[in-house]
Every structure is written in C-alpha cells, then in structure tokens.
Amino acid sequence: MPELSVSLNKIWIHRTEYLKVVEVREGSRQKFYSYTYTVKSRMGWLPCVRWDNYEQQPHVDKYDENGALLEQRPCREKELAEVVKLVKIFRRNLSAMDISQL
Amino acid sequence: MKIEILKHYNPEDVQGELARLAARYGSLDGLAHKASIGKCGSPDVVDNLVIWQALSAPGTDVIWKVSFESAEAVAKISPKRLELLEIIKKARIASLKELAAAAKRDYKNVYDDAVALEECGLIVLEANGRRMRPTHAADEMKMTFER
C-alpha cells in the first residue's frame, strides 16, 4: 500500500488574509484537499471561501461575515496553483462573487 | 517574491500533533461524529479529522509549510522574530521567560513576538501549567524570485 503524505500549508496573501491548505496524498494520488481562504475580521480569523473534496465530492463553500456557512456548490476538482491564483487576484472580493464562478 | 518556511515532521512531532488533537476533540470517533453532523459548517473539524486519520497510519510523511506570497505579508516576520525561531530550533526552550532570557530581550516584547509567530503558523505555544512552551520551529527557509 502506498505511503500517505500530508502537506499542511499556510499561505499568507496579505497581513490579514491567508489560505489554509491541507493535502493528503496516497503515493501520487491526491486523496484529499482543502483550500480555505481565511480573513481577519473584528471577530478574529474567519473562513471566507473554501474548496475541498471531502468524501470525494469536490465543492466550494462560501461563508458569511460571521464565519457561518452561507452557500455550497459542487465544482470540479481544484489544484492549489489555480486556487492561489484566484485568491491573489480577487482576494476579499471573492465573498461578493457568484459561487458558481468559483 | 515568495518565501517558504518548511518543517518535516519527525515521529515526536507526529505524536505531539496527535496529542493536541486528542486533547481538543477527545477521540477520533467523536471527531468523525462531529464532522458528520457539522460537515462544511466547521472547516477545521473536517480538516482535523482528515489529518488525524492520516497521522494514525504508520509511516505517514508530514510536511508543514508557511509561505508568504507578497512583500507585505513577509513583513510579519521581522529579523527579531527570525532570531526567536532560531533559538527555539537550537535549544529546548521550556517557557517564554526562558526564551526572553536566551534572546536577551524584554519578556513583554518576546511574548508579543511569540504570539505573532504562532498566528503566522511558525511556532506552536503549548500550555504547560501556567507556562507557554514554544515548539515546532522550522527546518529550512527558501526564497524564490518569480519571473
């Protein structure tokens, strides 16, 4: 059985924004990913948008200004480079975007 | 510009991470139950469940990274904070008071820097009675200028 590898990554986009990354690989196969764009608010650090494939169901989640789940949509599998690019371009505007575009 | 600070977990780090998860959630089954109820409502629960399951398998390789994607973000790690990381890496520091003494700096400033380093994800502050023990400093640092 191929060995598991876990990658935990905190990517700082700005002083008050980061992308939390969890990736689990089994050999060369990506078993799980989650990319959570997190922002600092008056309430502390809160998730804003998250892409993950938990239970093999790739989807995107959008959270409100209190960090509560607002909306969820299935989407195609995402790669880290693609998500980093998206987050760096749109940053906090992601929260105002149509979730189907993400 | 991109700066990456990396750490490869050794077996002691893996055990430490498992202990932290157990202290926070009780049991893996309990966490799995919590994840099945909350799912995407609490992203940390799902992430920690997946991490706990992966770390429970023997021989799992773990790499932990903190990356800074802009010069603005890099400002979070000042030379004094980098010096603290080096001290934590070199010596087994038992408390922030000991860290301040090793750095020959004022305790309050060292405390503030340690909290900022923890927020960055560069250290873990473990509660040890009334003391806070800084652990988990990185192994290497990479700087890349992107085209």
CSV table of all heavy atoms in Angstrom, one decimal, chain B residues 76-115:
chain,number,residue,atom,x,y,z
B,76,LYS,N,5.4,40.3,8.3
B,76,LYS,CA,5.1,39.6,9.5
B,76,LYS,C,6.2,39.0,10.2
B,76,LYS,O,6.2,38.6,11.4
B,76,LYS,CB,4.0,38.6,9.2
B,76,LYS,CG,2.6,39.2,8.9
B,76,LYS,CD,1.6,38.1,8.6
B,76,LYS,CE,0.8,37.7,9.9
B,76,LYS,NZ,-0.2,38.7,10.3
B,77,ILE,N,7.3,38.7,9.4
B,77,ILE,CA,8.5,38.0,10.1
B,77,ILE,C,9.7,39.0,10.1
B,77,ILE,O,10.4,39.1,9.2
B,77,ILE,CB,8.9,36.7,9.4
B,77,ILE,CG1,8.8,36.8,7.9
B,77,ILE,CG2,8.0,35.6,9.9
B,77,ILE,CD1,9.5,35.6,7.2
B,78,SER,N,9.8,39.7,11.2
B,78,SER,CA,10.9,40.6,11.4
B,78,SER,C,12.2,39.9,11.7
B,78,SER,O,12.1,38.7,12.2
B,78,SER,CB,10.6,41.6,12.5
B,78,SER,OG,10.5,40.9,13.7
B,79,PRO,N,13.4,40.5,11.6
B,79,PRO,CA,14.6,39.9,12.0
B,79,PRO,C,14.6,39.4,13.4
B,79,PRO,O,15.1,38.3,13.7
B,79,PRO,CB,15.7,41.0,11.8
B,79,PRO,CG,15.1,41.9,10.8
B,79,PRO,CD,13.6,41.9,11.0
B,80,LYS,N,14.0,40.1,14.3
B,80,LYS,CA,13.9,39.7,15.8
B,80,LYS,C,13.1,38.4,15.9
B,80,LYS,O,13.4,37.6,16.7
B,80,LYS,CB,13.3,40.8,16.6
B,80,LYS,CG,14.2,42.1,16.7
B,80,LYS,CD,14.4,42.5,18.1
B,80,LYS,CE,15.3,43.7,18.2
B,80,LYS,NZ,16.5,43.5,19.0
B,81,ARG,N,12.0,38.3,15.1
B,81,ARG,CA,11.2,37.1,15.2
B,81,ARG,C,11.9,35.9,14.6
B,81,ARG,O,11.8,34.8,15.1
B,81,ARG,CB,9.9,37.4,14.4
B,81,ARG,CG,9.0,38.3,15.2
B,81,ARG,CD,7.7,38.6,14.5
B,81,ARG,NE,7.0,39.6,15.2
B,81,ARG,CZ,5.8,40.2,14.8
B,81,ARG,NH1,5.3,39.9,13.6
B,81,ARG,NH2,5.2,41.1,15.6
B,82,LEU,N,12.7,36.2,13.5
B,82,LEU,CA,13.5,35.1,12.9
B,82,LEU,C,14.5,34.6,13.9
B,82,LEU,O,14.8,33.4,14.0
B,82,LEU,CB,14.2,35.6,11.6
B,82,LEU,CG,13.4,35.6,10.4
B,82,LEU,CD1,14.1,36.3,9.2
B,82,LEU,CD2,12.8,34.3,10.0
B,83,GLU,N,15.1,35.5,14.7
B,83,GLU,CA,16.1,35.2,15.7
B,83,GLU,C,15.4,34.3,16.8
B,83,GLU,O,16.1,33.3,17.2
B,83,GLU,CB,16.6,36.5,16.4
B,83,GLU,CG,17.9,36.3,17.2
B,83,GLU,CD,18.3,37.6,17.8
B,83,GLU,OE1,17.7,38.0,18.8
B,83,GLU,OE2,19.2,38.2,17.2
B,84,LEU,N,14.2,34.6,17.1
B,84,LEU,CA,13.5,33.7,18.1
B,84,LEU,C,13.3,32.3,17.5
B,84,LEU,O,13.5,31.3,18.3
B,84,LEU,CB,12.1,34.3,18.5
B,84,LEU,CG,12.1,35.6,19.3
B,84,LEU,CD1,10.7,36.1,19.6
B,84,LEU,CD2,12.9,35.5,20.6
B,85,LEU,N,13.0,32.2,16.2
B,85,LEU,CA,12.8,30.9,15.6
B,85,LEU,C,14.1,30.1,15.7
B,85,LEU,O,14.0,28.9,16.0
B,85,LEU,CB,12.4,31.1,14.1
B,85,LEU,CG,11.0,31.4,13.7
B,85,LEU,CD1,10.8,31.5,12.2
B,85,LEU,CD2,10.0,30.4,14.3
B,86,GLU,N,15.2,30.8,15.5
B,86,GLU,CA,16.5,30.1,15.5
B,86,GLU,C,16.8,29.6,16.9
B,86,GLU,O,17.2,28.5,17.1
B,86,GLU,CB,17.6,31.1,15.0
B,86,GLU,CG,18.8,30.3,14.6
B,86,GLU,CD,19.8,31.3,13.8
B,86,GLU,OE1,19.5,32.5,13.8
B,86,GLU,OE2,20.7,30.7,13.3
B,87,ILE,N,16.5,30.4,17.9
B,87,ILE,CA,16.7,30.0,19.3
B,87,ILE,C,15.9,28.8,19.7
B,87,ILE,O,16.3,27.8,20.3
B,87,ILE,CB,16.5,31.2,20.3
B,87,ILE,CG1,17.5,32.3,20.1
B,87,ILE,CG2,16.5,30.7,21.8
B,87,ILE,CD1,17.1,33.6,20.8
B,88,ILE,N,14.6,28.8,19.2
B,88,ILE,CA,13.7,27.7,19.6
B,88,ILE,C,14.2,26.4,18.9
B,88,ILE,O,14.1,25.3,19.4
B,88,ILE,CB,12.2,28.0,19.1
B,88,ILE,CG1,11.7,29.2,19.9
B,88,ILE,CG2,11.3,26.8,19.3
B,88,ILE,CD1,10.4,29.8,19.4
B,89,LYS,N,14.7,26.6,17.7
B,89,LYS,CA,15.2,25.4,16.9
B,89,LYS,C,16.4,24.8,17.6
B,89,LYS,O,16.6,23.6,17.7
B,89,LYS,CB,15.5,25.8,15.5
B,89,LYS,CG,15.9,24.7,14.6
B,89,LYS,CD,14.8,23.8,14.2
B,89,LYS,CE,15.2,22.5,13.7
B,89,LYS,NZ,14.1,21.6,13.5
B,90,LYS,N,17.3,25.7,18.0
B,90,LYS,CA,18.6,25.2,18.6
B,90,LYS,C,18.5,24.6,20.0
B,90,LYS,O,19.1,23.6,20.3
B,90,LYS,CB,19.6,26.4,18.6
B,90,LYS,CG,20.3,26.7,17.3
B,90,LYS,CD,21.3,27.8,17.5
B,90,LYS,CE,21.9,28.2,16.2
B,90,LYS,NZ,22.6,29.5,16.4
B,91,ALA,N,17.7,25.3,20.8
B,91,ALA,CA,17.6,24.8,22.2
B,91,ALA,C,16.2,24.3,22.6
B,91,ALA,O,15.2,24.8,22.0
B,91,ALA,CB,18.0,26.0,23.1
B,92,ARG,N,16.1,23.5,23.6
B,92,ARG,CA,14.8,23.1,24.0
B,92,ARG,C,14.3,24.1,25.1
B,92,ARG,O,14.7,24.0,26.2
B,92,ARG,CB,14.9,21.6,24.6
B,92,ARG,CG,13.6,21.0,24.8
B,92,ARG,CD,13.8,19.5,25.2
B,92,ARG,NE,12.5,19.0,25.6
B,92,ARG,CZ,11.6,18.4,24.7
B,92,ARG,NH1,11.9,18.4,23.4
B,92,ARG,NH2,10.5,17.9,25.1
B,93,ILE,N,13.5,25.0,24.6
B,93,ILE,CA,13.1,26.1,25.4
B,93,ILE,C,11.8,25.7,26.2
B,93,ILE,O,10.9,25.2,25.6
B,93,ILE,CB,12.8,27.4,24.6
B,93,ILE,CG1,14.1,27.8,23.8
B,93,ILE,CG2,12.2,28.5,25.4
B,93,ILE,CD1,15.1,28.5,24.7
B,94,ALA,N,11.8,25.9,27.5
B,94,ALA,CA,10.7,25.4,28.3
B,94,ALA,C,9.6,26.4,28.5
B,94,ALA,O,8.5,26.1,28.8
B,94,ALA,CB,11.2,24.9,29.7
B,95,SER,N,9.9,27.7,28.3
B,95,SER,CA,8.9,28.7,28.6
B,95,SER,C,9.3,30.0,27.8
B,95,SER,O,10.4,30.2,27.4
B,95,SER,CB,8.8,29.1,30.1
B,95,SER,OG,10.1,29.7,30.5
B,96,LEU,N,8.3,30.9,27.8
B,96,LEU,CA,8.6,32.2,27.1
B,96,LEU,C,9.6,33.0,27.9
B,96,LEU,O,10.4,33.8,27.3
B,96,LEU,CB,7.3,33.0,26.9
B,96,LEU,CG,6.4,32.4,25.8
B,96,LEU,CD1,5.1,33.2,25.7
B,96,LEU,CD2,7.0,32.2,24.5
B,97,LYS,N,9.6,32.9,29.2
B,97,LYS,CA,10.5,33.6,30.1
B,97,LYS,C,12.0,33.1,29.7
B,97,LYS,O,12.9,33.9,29.6
B,97,LYS,CB,10.2,33.2,31.5
B,97,LYS,CG,10.8,34.2,32.5
B,97,LYS,CD,10.3,33.9,33.9
B,97,LYS,CE,11.1,34.6,35.0
B,97,LYS,NZ,10.7,34.3,36.3
B,98,GLU,N,12.1,31.8,29.5
B,98,GLU,CA,13.4,31.3,29.2
B,98,GLU,C,13.8,31.7,27.8
B,98,GLU,O,15.0,32.0,27.5
B,98,GLU,CB,13.3,29.7,29.2
B,98,GLU,CG,14.5,29.0,29.5
B,98,GLU,CD,14.3,27.5,29.6
B,98,GLU,OE1,13.6,27.1,30.5
B,98,GLU,OE2,14.8,26.8,28.7
B,99,LEU,N,12.8,31.9,26.9
B,99,LEU,CA,13.1,32.3,25.5
B,99,LEU,C,13.6,33.8,25.6
B,99,LEU,O,14.6,34.2,24.9
B,99,LEU,CB,11.8,32.2,24.7
B,99,LEU,CG,11.9,32.7,23.2
B,99,LEU,CD1,13.0,31.8,22.4
B,99,LEU,CD2,10.6,32.6,22.5
B,100,ALA,N,12.9,34.6,26.4
B,100,ALA,CA,13.3,36.0,26.5
B,100,ALA,C,14.7,36.1,27.1
B,100,ALA,O,15.6,36.9,26.6
B,100,ALA,CB,12.3,36.7,27.5
B,101,ALA,N,15.1,35.2,28.1
B,101,ALA,CA,16.4,35.3,28.6
B,101,ALA,C,17.5,34.8,27.6
B,101,ALA,O,18.5,35.5,27.5
B,101,ALA,CB,16.5,34.3,29.8
B,102,ALA,N,17.1,33.8,26.8
B,102,ALA,CA,18.1,33.4,25.8
B,102,ALA,C,18.3,34.4,24.7
B,102,ALA,O,19.4,34.5,24.1
B,102,ALA,CB,17.5,32.1,25.1
B,103,ALA,N,17.2,35.2,24.4
B,103,ALA,CA,17.3,36.2,23.4
B,103,ALA,C,17.9,37.5,23.9
B,103,ALA,O,18.1,38.5,23.2
B,103,ALA,CB,15.9,36.4,22.7
B,104,LYS,N,18.0,37.6,25.3
B,104,LYS,CA,18.4,38.8,26.0
B,104,LYS,C,17.5,40.0,25.6
B,104,LYS,O,17.9,41.1,25.2
B,104,LYS,CB,19.9,39.1,25.6
B,104,LYS,CG,20.9,38.1,26.1
B,104,LYS,CD,22.3,38.6,25.9
B,104,LYS,CE,23.3,37.6,26.4
B,104,LYS,NZ,23.5,36.4,25.6
B,105,ARG,N,16.2,39.7,25.7
B,105,ARG,CA,15.2,40.7,25.3
B,105,ARG,C,14.2,40.8,26.4
B,105,ARG,O,14.0,39.9,27.2
B,105,ARG,CB,14.5,40.4,24.0
B,105,ARG,CG,15.4,40.5,22.8
B,105,ARG,CD,14.7,40.1,21.5
B,105,ARG,NE,13.4,40.9,21.4
B,105,ARG,CZ,12.4,40.5,20.6
B,105,ARG,NH1,12.5,39.4,19.9
B,105,ARG,NH2,11.3,41.2,20.5
B,106,ASP,N,13.4,41.9,26.4
B,106,ASP,CA,12.4,42.1,27.3
B,106,ASP,C,11.2,41.1,27.2
B,106,ASP,O,10.9,40.8,26.0
B,106,ASP,CB,11.8,43.5,27.0
B,106,ASP,CG,10.6,43.9,27.9
B,106,ASP,OD1,10.7,43.9,29.1
B,106,ASP,OD2,9.5,44.0,27.3
B,107,TYR,N,10.7,40.6,28.3
B,107,TYR,CA,9.7,39.5,28.2
B,107,TYR,C,8.5,39.9,27.5
B,107,TYR,O,8.0,39.1,26.6
B,107,TYR,CB,9.3,39.1,29.7
B,107,TYR,CG,8.2,38.1,29.7
B,107,TYR,CD1,8.4,36.7,29.4
B,107,TYR,CD2,6.9,38.5,29.9
B,107,TYR,CE1,7.4,35.8,29.4
B,107,TYR,CE2,5.8,37.6,29.9
B,107,TYR,CZ,6.1,36.3,29.7
B,107,TYR,OH,5.0,35.4,29.6
B,108,LYS,N,8.0,41.1,27.7
B,108,LYS,CA,6.7,41.5,27.0
B,108,LYS,C,6.9,41.5,25.5
B,108,LYS,O,6.0,41.1,24.8
B,108,LYS,CB,6.4,42.9,27.5
B,108,LYS,CG,5.2,43.6,26.9
B,108,LYS,CD,3.9,43.0,27.3
B,108,LYS,CE,2.7,43.8,26.7
B,108,LYS,NZ,2.5,43.7,25.3
B,109,ASN,N,8.0,42.1,25.0
B,109,ASN,CA,8.2,42.1,23.6
B,109,ASN,C,8.4,40.7,23.0
B,109,ASN,O,7.9,40.4,21.9
B,109,ASN,CB,9.5,42.9,23.2
B,109,ASN,CG,9.3,44.4,23.6
B,109,ASN,OD1,8.2,44.8,23.7
B,109,ASN,ND2,10.4,45.1,23.8
B,110,VAL,N,9.1,39.8,23.7
B,110,VAL,CA,9.2,38.4,23.3
B,110,VAL,C,7.8,37.7,23.3
B,110,VAL,O,7.5,37.0,22.4
B,110,VAL,CB,10.2,37.7,24.2
B,110,VAL,CG1,10.2,36.2,23.9
B,110,VAL,CG2,11.6,38.2,23.9
B,111,TYR,N,7.0,38.0,24.3
B,111,TYR,CA,5.7,37.4,24.4
B,111,TYR,C,4.9,37.9,23.1
B,111,TYR,O,4.3,37.0,22.4
B,111,TYR,CB,5.0,37.9,25.6
B,111,TYR,CG,3.5,37.4,25.7
B,111,TYR,CD1,3.2,36.2,26.2
B,111,TYR,CD2,2.5,38.3,25.2
B,111,TYR,CE1,1.9,35.8,26.3
B,111,TYR,CE2,1.2,37.8,25.3
B,111,TYR,CZ,0.9,36.6,25.8
B,111,TYR,OH,-0.4,36.2,25.8
B,112,ASP,N,4.9,39.2,22.8
B,112,ASP,CA,4.2,39.7,21.7
B,112,ASP,C,4.7,39.0,20.4
B,112,ASP,O,3.9,38.6,19.5
B,112,ASP,CB,4.3,41.2,21.5
B,112,ASP,CG,3.6,41.9,22.6
B,112,ASP,OD1,2.7,41.3,23.3
B,112,ASP,OD2,3.8,43.1,22.9
B,113,ASP,N,6.0,38.9,20.2
B,113,ASP,CA,6.5,38.3,19.0
B,113,ASP,C,6.2,36.8,18.9
B,113,ASP,O,5.9,36.3,17.9
B,113,ASP,CB,8.1,38.4,19.0
B,113,ASP,CG,8.5,39.8,18.5
B,113,ASP,OD1,7.6,40.5,18.0
B,113,ASP,OD2,9.7,40.2,18.6
B,114,ALA,N,6.2,36.1,20.1
B,114,ALA,CA,5.8,34.7,20.1
B,114,ALA,C,4.4,34.5,19.7
B,114,ALA,O,4.0,33.6,18.9
B,114,ALA,CB,6.1,34.1,21.5
B,115,VAL,N,3.5,35.4,20.2
B,115,VAL,CA,2.1,35.3,19.8
B,115,VAL,C,1.9,35.5,18.3
B,115,VAL,O,1.2,34.8,17.6
B,115,VAL,CB,1.2,36.3,20.6
B,115,VAL,CG1,-0.2,36.4,20.1
B,115,VAL,CG2,1.2,35.8,22.1
